[in-house]
Amino acid sequence: MANNPDAMRLDDLAILLAVVEARGFRAASTRLGLSPSTVSDKVAQLERQLGVPLLTRTTRSVMPTAAGKALVGRLSPLFSEARAALQDAANSQREVRGRLTLNVAGAVMVDILPPLIDRYLALHPHVRVEIMVEDRLVDITAAGCDAGIRYGEHLALDMIAVPIGPPFQRLAYAAAPAYLARRGVPSTPRDVLDHDTIRLRFSSGAIVEWEFERGGETITIDPPARLIIGVDAAAAAIESAGAGGGVIGTFENWLEPYFRSGVLQPVLPEWWSRFEGPRLYFSKRFMPAPLRAFVDLIADQRSTSLAINEDATGIGPR
């Protein structure tokens, strides 16, 4: 028979949440500053008190049981609310304190998010930032995160989404000048099917088809890849293209430095497709002070960018 649940400590429940979020005892122990054996013992004690297994343990992974998943699903919002309340109390003297945890797509870690985080840390020296990088859309509340950054996914109704970084980006294609001199320059998207290609695989396992647009016409191809590299190593894929490995398709902003240096040459630039830039999304229900400060920074950054663009074009508000 289970012991009295009222005797359970909130610290033990927090340890359970950390194990599920980190997907393992060792990773959770690093985050919590405890030994792996202590973390394991605390979870085992909690299971004895409840009289039901909460985790399924194997040599390679730790996964919540049905009971564990249900418990964590109810506890996560409560702990998020509690963290937000504590952070707001700590920030009552106008100095932002606490932790900001973001769950982000790997694509924003190249040149969009890092400069924002650098500026944020300089403005708020008492805030700690943790960034979890994964490409699949997750329940940020259940994952113990304050906000997520994604491209274009359908979000839950209780979420707010604000643009972060460029409002629009383009999917660009490129190859080394020497490669194009040897194999010929594609004149239509379907010509790419006759070329060696370098493709990127997302952590979700997906390899996104290549899409081309011009004058209302859209062409999608799925060329066989000579080389496939995980998106986390996109720089290596671009370097391979620069060494003559074939045609690569990826974010235009990732390729721009290579265009400027002449290492890569644009391929079919009149066919590059445009899409909306990334968005920061978070729950409507609460906004802890570190997240509020980050949203304010994004708004300030966008205002500054708009002002610079207006000065450059000579077009300002009327």
Side-chain angles (χ1 to χ4, degrees), residues 9 11-13 15-16 25 34 36-49 57:
R9 298 177 56 188
D11 287 349
D12 296 343
L13 296 175
I15 289 173
L16 172 66
F25 291 103
L34 300 172
S37 60
T38 298
V39 172
S40 180
D41 290 345
K42 290 291 186 181
V43 173
Q45 177 182 332
L46 186 59
E47 289 176 318
R48 287 194 298 271
Q49 288 177 299
R57 304 159 174 85

Side-chain angles (χ1 to χ4, degrees), residues 33 112 139 185 192 229 266 271 300:
I112 294 175
D139 182 337
V185 178
V192 176
I229 296 182
W271 284 92
D300 178 67

Side-chain angles (χ1 to χ4, degrees), residues 99-266:
R99 186 180 73 175
L100 174 67
T101 305
L102 302 175
N103 188 294
V104 310
V108 302
M109 290 302 299
V110 176
D111 54 3
I112 294 175
L113 187 58
L116 283 172
I117 293 297
D118 289 344
R119 185 178 173 195
Y120 178 79
L121 290 172
L123 289 171
H124 306 291
H126 299 291
V127 175
R128 294 175 293 113
V129 175
E130 180 176 354
I131 300 173
M132 302 167 61
V133 181
E134 55 184 324
D135 291 303
R136 61 189 181 90
L137 186 62
V138 301
D139 182 337
I140 56 172
T141 302
C145 299
D146 299 303
I149 301 177
R150 289 294 185 277
Y151 282 88
E153 283 91 345
H154 177 71
L155 303 176
L157 294 178
D158 64 342
M159 291 288 166
I160 297 172
V162 298
I164 179 171
F168 293 97
Q169 294 178 259
R170 291 201 297 176
L171 182 59
Y173 302 88
Y179 170 86
L180 294 173
R182 185 175 72 252
R183 297 288 299 273
V185 178
S187 58
T188 72
R190 291 187 177 86
D191 289 344
V192 176
L193 294 170
D194 297 324
H195 283 260
D196 296 335
T197 63
I198 301 169
R199 311 275 305 267
L200 296 175
R201 186 187 296 278
F202 290 92
S203 58
S204 63
I207 300 179
V208 178
E209 294 179 325
W210 285 3
E211 187 172 278
F212 299 82
E213 293 180 354
R214 187 180 69 175
E217 181 183 6
T218 299
I219 297 177
T220 301
I221 64 173
D222 189 14
R226 181 78 186 278
L227 175 65
I228 299 175
I229 296 182
V231 71
D232 292 341
I238 297 173
E239 292 290 343
S240 179
V247 179
I248 187 170
T250 187
F251 293 92
E252 179 185 11
N253 48 299
W254 292 7
L255 297 175
E256 282 177 347
Y258 298 88
F259 292 151
R260 291 194 297 268
S261 67
V263 171
L264 290 175
Q265 177 179 324

